[in-house]
């Protein structure tokens, strides 16, 4: 990516200055000047020339440094003992003590596996759903119908997680719709939100409901770029619908699938923190407590900042490693990657 | 020549009829099945909404008996009056409006200028700036360091800034905007520059007016996110009078579902029924529902504009 940009960047500067400095015909060419022309401007020149554009950069970079990079370095308190009111970067080095603590804590491992299971389930179920829906939408002949389905399926994306949680509570409550349906079959009402065995299903279903429609946007955009002639050619070769989907459509949207998959793998450990936090209660911690909610409780509620930071850092590092390896693997295997 | 011209339509007709004959039945069955499944999906998507609407207009006794699905029973508006006459609800609602407006303005200012700068291909340091932004998508400081930064280093507890600043730039939105600006015809800008316009002039008088679709989309994204957010308020605000309306709703739901950490007098509320919850949900989601139909087409094209190439 960097190299490509380099090539593109060079074009304007050579064209721009070439006309004034090196007219065709024959001033003696100083090779150092020539080399300079083909290199980028030095910082000094660039700042003088583009200072107005740099004013556009100052505030956003300041924002990123303060609100994104300072917290990254704030992770240092995972290795230092931090007391509220004490030194902002902790009082003394304790090495890996806090990592040691959580690794030997059985509660941590429950939470860790809950996270992995929930994240894994979501990846397996939640990731393909928008692709399937996009393929189905793509098969609709009537544009009006297509637009209607899209409008309806995007809507949940715009709801607050608080509202989604409220809806979930109502649907699965003792007098809610799910229990009404069970009642038709003569079953007794089940207090779903108090039973750990139902949490994963409830989470996945509500997440699917909220995100599936929105997830189709990028796939639908990718689908429009597939050349119709490919379908025609496939039909003439005797490909039926499934074969067309398999050999033309899916390869056509493969780069989109791969990029989104890599991004999804990277956030795999961060499973819907806010939603889980809203839905969970102590009765169902055995399945509904995930790393983020656990570290929220031990960190912010009971004030063990260093311990919670160590857990958070551990989680972020797993996420980073997952993204890097997914990216590497897909570049090697299918030639599509984020960078 | 003449025979060729005559033959051409025939070939076309034969070809289309061939392909049509080949999969008529299968295709027809497929289309019906596909349509039916999509119709079911639509019903499933809409049902939770309709259920909430029905409950908002129903009497609590019918809801408690499990008799309300999509049609209100025991129609009444008293709960609407009750919620809307709660002074705290209105205070929180106004807070949300303020947070949304301020947050969106700040976010748009930062995102638009940054995205434009990043789309200037000759800008020295451009790749470095992009890298700085993109890296934050894959690695973040995590909850606790962020909390310490905002609450203890910057002393933003119980201020507007804790709500509107930490999320000001969404890197995803930034990249969508950048790739939109990437596609901007550079001739336009060059022409303007030749006419003596400065970078600011080009940006404000040429680029922005021609980017209305993407600006509207991004404004909407930021506004909806800010409108819907509750977690930063949950973390950084203690005073109820500062809460956004989503926190009001959250406390209502937490109290009703009997989950943890219900604070203050919410616990005293004897029984917060599904009816009052539904009414509050409906009122908080109202602005989004109102603008949604008008802007739907707009934002889809906006996202696509930015993302197809990227």
């Amino acid at each position: 990516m960097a190299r490509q940009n380099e090539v593109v960047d060079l074009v304007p500067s050579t064209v721009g200055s070439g006309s004034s400095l090196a007219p065709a015909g024959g001033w003696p060419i100083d090779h150092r000047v020539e080399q300079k022309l083909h290199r980028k401007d030095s910082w000094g020149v660039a700042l003088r020339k583009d200072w107005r554009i740099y004013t556009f950069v100052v505030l956003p970079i300041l924002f990123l440094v303060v609100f994104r990079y300072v917290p990254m370095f704030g992770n240092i308190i995972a290795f230092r003992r931090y007391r509220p009111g004490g030194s902002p970067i902790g009082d003394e080095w304790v090495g890996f003590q806090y990592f040691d603590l959580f690794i030997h804590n059985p509660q941590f491992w429950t939470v860790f596996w809950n996270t992995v299971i929930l994240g894994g389930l979501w990846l397996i179920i939640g990731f393909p759903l928008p692709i399937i829906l996009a393929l189905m939408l793509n098969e609709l002949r009537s544009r009006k119908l297509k637009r209607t389905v899209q409008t309806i399926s995007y809507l949940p994306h715009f709801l607050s997680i608080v509202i989604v949680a409220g809806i979930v509570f109502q649907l699965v409550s003792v007098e809610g719709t799910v229990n009404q349906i069970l009642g038709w079959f003569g079953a007794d009402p089940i207090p779903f939100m108090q039973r750990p065995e139902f949490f994963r299903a409830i989470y996945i279903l509500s997440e699917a409901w909220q995100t599936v429609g929105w997830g189709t946007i990028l796939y639908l955009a990718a689908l429009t770029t597939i050349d119709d002639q490919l379908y025609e050619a496939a039909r003439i070769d005797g490909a039926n619908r499934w074969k067309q989907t398999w050999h033309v459509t899916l390869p056509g949207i493969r780069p989109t699938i791969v990029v989104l998959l890599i991004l999804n793998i990277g956030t795999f450990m961060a499973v819907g923190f806010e939603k889980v936090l809203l839905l969970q209660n102590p009765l169902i911690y055995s399945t509904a407590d995930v790393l983020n909610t656990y570290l929220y409780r031990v960190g912010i509620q009971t004030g063990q900042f260093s311990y919670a930071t160590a857990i958070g850092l551990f989680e972020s590092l797993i996420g980073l490693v997952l993204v890097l390896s997914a990216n590497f693997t897909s570049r090697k295997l299918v030639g599509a990657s984020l960078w | 020549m003449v025979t060729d011209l005559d033959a051409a339509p025939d070939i076309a007709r034969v070809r289309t009829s061939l392909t049509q004959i080949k999969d008529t039945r299968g295709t027809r069955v497929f289309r019906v099945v596909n349509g039916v499944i999509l119709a079911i999906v639509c019903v499933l998507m809409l049902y939770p909404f309709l259920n909430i609407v029905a409950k908002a207009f129903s009497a609590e006794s019918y809801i408690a008996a499990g008799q309300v699905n999509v049609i209100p029973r025991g129609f009444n508006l008293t709960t609407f009056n009750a919620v809307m006459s709660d002074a705290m609800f209105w205070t929180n609602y106004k807070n949300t409006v303020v947070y949304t407006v301020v947050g969106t303005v700040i976010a748009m200012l930062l995102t638009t200028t940054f995205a434009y700068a990043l789309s200037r291909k000759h800008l020295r340091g451009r790749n470095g700036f992009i890298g700085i932004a993109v890296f934050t998508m894959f690695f973040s400081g995590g909850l606790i360091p962020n909390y310490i930064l905002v609450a203890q280093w910057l002393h933003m507890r119980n201020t507007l800034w804790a709500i509107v600043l930490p999320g000001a730039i969404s890197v995803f939105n930034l990249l969508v905007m950048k790739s939109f600006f990437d596609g901007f015809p550079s001739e336009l800008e060059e022409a303007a520059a030749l006419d003596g316009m400065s970078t600011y002039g080009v940006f404000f008088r040429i680029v922005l007016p021609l980017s209305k679709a993407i600006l509207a989309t991004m404004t909407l994204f930021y506004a909806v996110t800010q409108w819907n957010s509750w977690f930063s308020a949950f973390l950084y605000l203690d005073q109820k009078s500062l809460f956004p309306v989503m926190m009001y709703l959250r406390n209502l739901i937490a109290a009703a579902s009997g989950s943890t950490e219900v604070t203050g007098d919410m616990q005293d509320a004897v029984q917060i029924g599904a009816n009052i919850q539904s009414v509050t949900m409906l009122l908080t989601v109202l602005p989004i529902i109102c603008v949604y139909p008008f802007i739907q087409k707009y934002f889809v094209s906006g996202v696509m504009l930015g993302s197809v190439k990227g």
Side-chain angles (χ1 to χ4, degrees):
Chain A
M1 193 167 122
R3 180 174 292 173
Q4 259 179 356
N5 284 330
E6 214 88 51
V7 175
V8 178
D9 289 350
L10 278 174
V11 179
S13 62
T14 39
V15 170
S17 35
S19 54
S20 59
L21 283 178
W27 291 359
I29 294 170
D30 181 335
H31 283 285
R32 277 170 310 172
V33 171
E34 171 99 317
Q35 264 180 0
K36 258 209 166 134
L37 284 176
H38 285 272
R39 249 186 287 141
K40 281 193 165 182
D41 300 331
S42 74
W43 273 107
V45 175
L47 279 172
R48 212 172 320 127
K49 199 174 72 184
D50 289 326
W51 67 268
R52 286 189 178 88
I53 296 187
Y54 284 109
T55 59
F56 283 176
V57 175
V58 175
L59 280 178
I61 289 287
L62 189 70
F63 165 83
L64 288 174
V65 168
V66 172
F67 286 100
R68 298 288 180 269
Y69 284 88
V70 168
M72 282 182 206
F73 293 106
N75 272 311
I76 198 167
I77 66 165
F79 306 97
R80 293 170 67 87
R81 181 164 293 126
Y82 176 87
R83 289 178 300 111
S87 161
I89 52 160
D91 296 320
E92 53 183 317
W93 288 98
V94 293
F96 286 88
Q97 186 193 312
Y98 293 111
F99 292 85
D100 223 46
L101 266 177
F102 74 67
I103 280 172
H104 292 103
N105 181 345
Q107 207 188 342
F108 167 81
W109 288 106
T110 313
V111 167
F112 177 82
W113 288 115
N114 279 345
T115 311
V116 172
I117 292 169
L118 211 56
L121 274 177
W122 179 243
L123 202 61
I124 295 167
I125 298 169
F127 182 73
L129 278 182
I131 303 176
I132 297 167
L133 185 60
L135 292 177
M136 292 175 74
L137 278 169
N138 200 43
E139 297 288 346
L140 277 184
R141 276 296 169 82
S142 151
R143 289 183 62 86
K144 226 166 130 188
L145 212 63
K146 189 172 165 183
R147 195 138 8 106
T148 311
V149 180
Q150 281 178 275
T151 306
I152 291 172
S153 66
Y154 294 160
L155 191 51
H157 171 81
F158 290 91
L159 295 188
S160 172
I161 295 172
V162 179
I163 292 182
V164 175
I167 291 177
V168 169
F169 280 125
Q170 294 214 5
L171 287 179
V172 302
S173 71
V174 173
E175 68 279 1
T177 306
V178 177
N179 274 316
Q180 286 177 41
I181 293 171
L182 288 177
W184 299 343
F185 298 100
D188 290 330
I190 301 169
F192 286 100
M193 295 316 290
Q194 295 166 27
R195 298 276 190 81
E197 64 268 34
F198 293 114
F199 177 77
R200 286 174 186 144
I202 291 170
Y203 173 83
I204 299 284
L205 283 172
S206 71
E207 194 75 356
W209 177 73
Q210 195 177 10
T211 60
V212 66
W214 189 251
T216 60
I217 287 194
L218 293 179
Y219 295 114
L220 287 170
L223 283 170
T224 59
T225 62
I226 299 175
D227 192 345
D228 271 339
Q229 290 185 347
L230 289 175
Y231 288 106
E232 214 168 294
R235 263 200 304 267
I236 289 166
D237 289 343
N240 63 25
R241 243 196 157 76
W242 298 113
K243 283 184 176 163
Q244 285 171 37
T245 304
W246 189 253
H247 294 291
V248 180
T249 315
L250 284 176
I253 58 172
R254 190 167 67 186
T256 311
I257 295 179
V258 169
V259 165
L260 290 179
L261 184 62
I262 296 171
L263 286 172
N264 269 277
I265 288 173
T267 54
F268 161 84
M269 295 295 282
V271 277
F273 171 43
E274 290 186 26
K275 191 192 264 172
V276 177
L277 193 63
L278 287 167
L279 289 178
Q280 67 169 204
N281 65 66
L283 289 175
I284 55 172
Y285 276 169
S286 62
T287 56
D289 206 10
V290 293
L291 276 180
N292 272 317
T293 52
Y294 176 67
L295 82 86
Y296 166 77
R297 269 205 320 282
V298 297
I300 292 181
Q301 288 192 325
T302 62
Q304 304 171 53
F305 287 100
S306 287
Y307 180 69
T309 305
I311 298 173
L313 183 59
F314 176 72
E315 188 212 293
S316 304
L317 286 176
I318 293 180
L320 186 63
V321 169
L322 285 173
V323 162
L324 292 177
S325 37
N327 194 55
F328 177 81
T329 315
S330 95
R331 193 171 50 204
K332 289 280 175 232
L333 289 182
V334 290
S337 63
L338 284 178
W339 61 85
Chain B
M1 272 317 250
V2 177
T3 48
D4 270 359
L5 277 174
D6 283 342
D10 274 339
I11 289 168
R13 204 183 313 140
V14 168
R15 200 201 270 166
T16 51
S17 64
L18 260 181
T19 51
Q20 263 165 16
I21 287 165
K22 220 181 75 243
D23 47 28
T24 314
R25 268 201 68 178
T27 303
R28 218 181 293 154
V29 172
F30 170 83
R31 261 191 213 128
V32 171
V33 173
N34 190 36
V36 169
I37 295 177
L38 284 174
I40 294 173
V41 169
C42 283
V43 171
L44 289 177
M45 286 281 169
L46 278 179
Y47 178 78
F49 283 107
L50 300 176
N51 188 241
I52 294 301
V53 175
K55 281 177 175 166
F57 292 100
S58 295
E60 189 64 42
S61 54
Y62 287 99
I63 302 174
Q67 291 177 338
V68 179
N69 289 314
V70 292
I71 300 159
R73 311 259 322 244
F75 185 88
N76 76 90
L77 293 170
T78 47
T79 316
F80 276 90
N81 286 329
V83 173
M84 283 162 76
S85 60
D86 181 358
M88 193 49 83
F89 176 79
W90 282 116
T91 309
N92 292 172
Y93 212 90
K94 275 178 217 143
N95 289 339
T96 294
V97 174
V98 173
Y99 297 154
T100 303
V101 171
V102 177
T104 307
V105 168
I106 293 175
M108 282 306 288
L109 209 72
L110 292 180
T111 308
T112 313
T113 52
F114 198 28
Y116 180 71
L118 293 183
S119 73
R120 304 296 85 195
K121 294 212 168 50
H122 65 271
L123 192 75
R124 187 173 166 116
R126 171 177 172 267
N127 287 332
F129 297 139
I130 295 175
I132 287 173
V134 169
F135 182 68
T136 64
M137 286 177 97
F138 303 111
F139 188 75
S140 70
L143 179 68
I144 307 293
N146 272 299
Y147 176 80
I148 292 175
L149 171 77
V150 173
Q152 301 188 349
W153 295 5
L154 299 175
H155 300 290
M156 287 178 173
R157 253 180 173 289
N158 288 320
T159 65
L160 164 95
W161 307 114
I163 308 299
V164 299
L165 276 186
I169 294 180
S170 142
V171 178
F172 177 80
N173 289 355
L174 176 76
L175 293 179
V176 169
M177 273 201 122
K178 175 192 161 282
S179 53
F180 175 81
F181 288 139
D182 276 341
F184 225 81
S186 56
E187 293 82 4
L188 261 179
E189 291 159 51
E190 278 160 26
L194 282 178
D195 287 347
M197 247 187 210
S198 74
T199 310
Y200 293 142
V202 172
F203 180 66
F204 287 108
R205 287 162 62 189
I206 310 242
V207 176
L208 287 190
L210 288 172
S211 313
K212 280 186 195 122
I214 198 86
L215 290 176
T217 310
M218 291 297 139
T219 306
L220 175 80
F221 280 1
Y222 279 122
V224 168
T225 308
Q226 193 67 59
W227 185 275
N228 283 338
S229 84
W230 67 287
F231 190 63
S232 44
F234 184 60
L235 277 182
Y236 303 121
L237 303 181
D238 311 316
Q239 297 161 18
K240 273 191 175 177
S241 58
L242 296 174
F243 281 174
V245 72
M246 284 304 162
M247 274 298 288
Y248 180 94
L249 179 60
R250 183 260 165 199
N251 288 341
L252 206 65
I253 292 167
S257 66
S259 53
T260 46
E261 317 134 23
V262 183
T263 47
D265 37 276
M266 273 298 166
Q267 236 156 3
D268 303 336
V270 192
Q271 178 73 52
I272 295 162
N275 178 231
I276 196 165
Q277 287 180 55
S278 306
V279 166
T280 315
M281 281 191 232
L282 218 54
L283 289 173
T284 53
V285 84
L286 207 62
I288 293 175
I289 299 285
C290 289
V291 289
Y292 180 73
F294 301 103
I295 44 189
Q296 206 248 120
K297 204 170 62 191
Y298 224 22
F299 66 66
V300 171
S301 61
V303 174
M304 288 184 177
L305 273 179
S307 59
V308 173
K309 292 169 291 140

